[in-house]
């Protein structure tokens, strides 16, 4: 359930950013394309969510390697 909450949070942020961007562009006289505000955040949120998941996995692996190497957490890495 934590992963779903993370995805929904990322989706809401992507939706708001893209919606504001499309709203500003349409206010400047460009064609009204609010459909993009509803379609673009989905793949963007999936991409950001996947990258976030990879970053979390890398951090866990680094921590595990430090434990196996016997280095304390505050010790700078070589």
């Amino acid at each position: 359930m934590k992963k779903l909450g993370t995805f929904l949070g990322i989706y809401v942020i992507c939706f708001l950013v893209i919606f504001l961007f499309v709203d500003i562009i349409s206010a400047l006289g460009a064609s009204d394309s609010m459909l993009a505000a509803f379609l673009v955040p989905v793949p963007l949120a999936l991409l950001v969510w996947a990258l976030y998941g990879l970053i979390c996995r890398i951090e866990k692996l680094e921590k595990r390697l430090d434990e196996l190497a016997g280095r304390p957490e505050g010790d700078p890495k070589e």
Side-chain angles (χ1 to χ4, degrees):
M1 197 66 180
K2 184 178 179 182
K3 290 182 180 182
L4 180 63
T6 303
F7 175 74
L8 289 176
I10 292 171
Y11 175 77
V12 168
I13 291 169
C14 290
F15 177 78
L16 290 175
V17 168
I18 291 176
F19 185 79
L20 289 173
F21 178 75
V22 169
D23 192 38
I24 290 170
I25 296 297
S26 66
L28 294 175
S31 64
D32 190 22
S33 60
M34 284 299 193
L35 182 62
F38 293 102
L39 295 179
V40 174
V42 174
L44 182 63
L46 286 172
L47 178 67
V48 172
W49 183 56
L51 290 174
Y52 175 75
L54 289 174
I55 290 169
C56 289
R57 288 185 68 182
I58 289 171
E59 289 176 354
K60 286 179 185 177
L61 285 172
E62 286 177 346
K63 183 178 178 183
R64 180 70 176 139
L65 283 173
D66 286 343
E67 290 173 0
L68 290 173
R71 284 182 260 170
E73 285 186 30
D75 194 23
K77 296 177 182 165
E78 298 175 4

